[in-house]
Amino acid sequence: FFAILGHTFPIFFEFRGGKGVATSLGVLITLDWKIGLVCLIFGVILIALTKMVSVGSILAAILFPILMVFMGNARFEAIIISILITLLVIFNHRSNIKRIQNGTENKLSFKK
C-alpha cells in the first residue's frame, strides 16, 4: 500500500504523481497473479467498450476486493489492503468521475 502511496504522492515531485493504477496492478499481481490477470483483462475490455481509461481503471479497482473475497486469498489483512487500494484509486480519479458525470471525460481516439 505504501508503494502505491509513494508513487501517487512522490515527495520529489511536490506530492504530485499519477493515479496509482499501474503500481496498484503491480501490487495486485504480487498478491495474487490470477486476480491481477482477471482485473487487467476486465479493465482492458471496459476501456475498449467505453473508450475511457478512467472507467476501466476505476471498475477494475472495484472488482479487486470483490475477487479477493470470492476467489483469492481470503486473509483479513489482504482484503483490507485491497479495499484501501480501491479507495485510493477512486480518490485519485475524483476529477475523472466529475468529468464522466458531466459528459466531458476524454475518450481514446486513434484518429488524427
Side-chain angles (χ1 to χ4, degrees):
F1 182 72
F2 289 108
I4 299 166
L5 278 178
H7 280 82
T8 304
F9 305 108
I11 192 169
F12 300 111
F13 298 114
E14 300 174 0
F15 301 101
R16 289 181 299 208
K19 305 278 186 191
V21 176
T23 310
S24 296
L25 180 61
V27 169
L28 171 53
I29 289 172
T30 302
L31 288 174
D32 191 323
W33 69 269
K34 291 174 260 179
I35 292 175
L37 187 60
V38 169
C39 287
L40 176 63
I41 292 169
F42 180 74
V44 168
I45 289 170
L46 286 173
I47 292 167
L49 291 174
T50 64
K51 305 273 193 265
M52 291 185 272
V53 175
S54 57
V55 170
S57 300
I58 293 167
L59 293 178
I62 292 170
L63 181 63
F64 172 35
I66 295 168
L67 291 178
M68 287 294 285
V69 169
F70 291 109
M71 70 176 265
N73 187 353
R75 288 192 341 253
F76 179 75
E77 300 86 6
I79 293 169
I80 294 300
I81 292 293
S82 68
I83 292 168
L84 290 174
I85 290 170
T86 297
L87 292 174
L88 182 62
V89 169
I90 292 170
F91 175 80
N92 289 337
H93 281 86
R94 61 193 182 280
S95 62
N96 298 81
I97 293 169
K98 288 178 186 173
R99 286 194 301 269
I100 291 168
Q101 290 172 335
N102 295 332
T104 58
E105 177 68 355
N106 296 326
K107 292 190 176 190
L108 287 178
S109 175
F110 299 105
K111 300 174 186 175
K112 285 272 179 175

